[in-house]
Amino acid sequence: MTSFYPFTATSLDGRPISMTDYAGKVVLVVNTASQCGFTPQYAGLEALYKKYAAQGLVVLGFPCNQFGKQESGGADDISKTCYINYGVSFPMFEKVEVNGASAHPLFRYLKNELPGVLGGRIKWNFTKFLIGRNGEPLKRFAPMTKPENMESAILAALES
């Protein structure tokens, strides 16, 4: 598979969403958590989304409870953190696993295409994957990479 478009995921409110809905857009896929030291990155991700959405950027948040049990709540808890505490307006999906045998197929694909320093594993919450307008994964960002420090890569993807 050479594109992320064949994948589907379930939105936080339970609707199946096809990644083809984002064809032609620059997509930033992020595994998130509500109780993490990196959780304040929601604000930076939202700022990027608002700044560049009109140019074709979309951020997709995928809550994950595999790292320090930092996303132990259900959809209501997740939405409270995202929408109320951080004003997130970008699409959020249901909780997924990103490592191991039960990893969501989208994350298996992204880790294969952009392995990172741990090879085929995600190190922690808020690992980010930038995908170009053609559905090709372009760049992987570590959890500690602040959203504002990804802006030049996002701009380059938006301009290509």
Side-chain angles (χ1 to χ4, degrees), residues 2 18 20 31-33 41 48 52-53 73 82 109 113 140 147 152:
T2 58
S18 171
T20 58
N31 70 300
T32 64
Q41 287 188 21
L48 284 174
Y52 296 111
C82 296
Y109 166 72
E113 294 295 308
R140 178 175 175 158
S152 62

Side-chain angles (χ1 to χ4, degrees), residues 80-151:
K80 195 177 298 178
T81 298
C82 296
Y83 304 129
I84 297 169
N85 296 358
Y86 289 97
V88 166
S89 62
F90 55 80
M92 290 294 299
F93 291 82
E94 72 178 4
K95 198 179 333 183
V96 298
E97 290 192 8
V98 298
N99 287 330
S102 297
H104 190 283
L106 174 60
F107 282 90
R108 275 187 280 193
Y109 166 72
L110 291 171
K111 292 182 304 180
N112 185 59
E113 294 295 308
L114 300 169
V117 295
L118 295 181
R121 293 190 56 76
I122 288 179
K123 180 178 179 180
W124 202 254
N125 302 309
F126 289 89
T127 297
K128 304 153 200 82
F129 295 90
L130 185 63
I131 298 160
R133 292 185 187 273
N134 62 356
E136 180 183 336
L138 300 173
K139 190 165 173 85
R140 178 175 175 158
F141 298 92
M144 70 279 302
T145 304
K146 294 179 180 175
E148 57 269 23
N149 294 338
M150 300 182 300
E151 197 162 0

Side-chain angles (χ1 to χ4, degrees), residues 11-87:
S11 68
L12 196 55
D13 62 4
R15 294 175 296 117
I17 305 289
S18 171
M19 296 304 114
T20 58
D21 290 358
Y22 307 111
K25 295 195 177 285
V26 171
V27 180
L28 188 65
V29 173
V30 186
N31 70 300
T32 64
S34 299
Q35 311 290 317
C36 178
F38 297 123
T39 302
Q41 287 188 21
Y42 271 131
L45 293 167
E46 177 65 14
L48 284 174
Y49 177 60
K50 282 185 172 172
K51 186 173 183 179
Y52 296 111
Q55 291 172 255
L57 175 69
V58 66
V59 177
L60 305 180
F62 288 84
C64 178
N65 194 40
Q66 287 187 288
F67 307 103
K69 305 288 184 219
Q70 296 178 341
E71 190 64 270
S72 59
D76 289 342
D77 298 317
I78 294 167
S79 79
K80 195 177 298 178
T81 298
C82 296
Y83 304 129
I84 297 169
N85 296 358
Y86 289 97

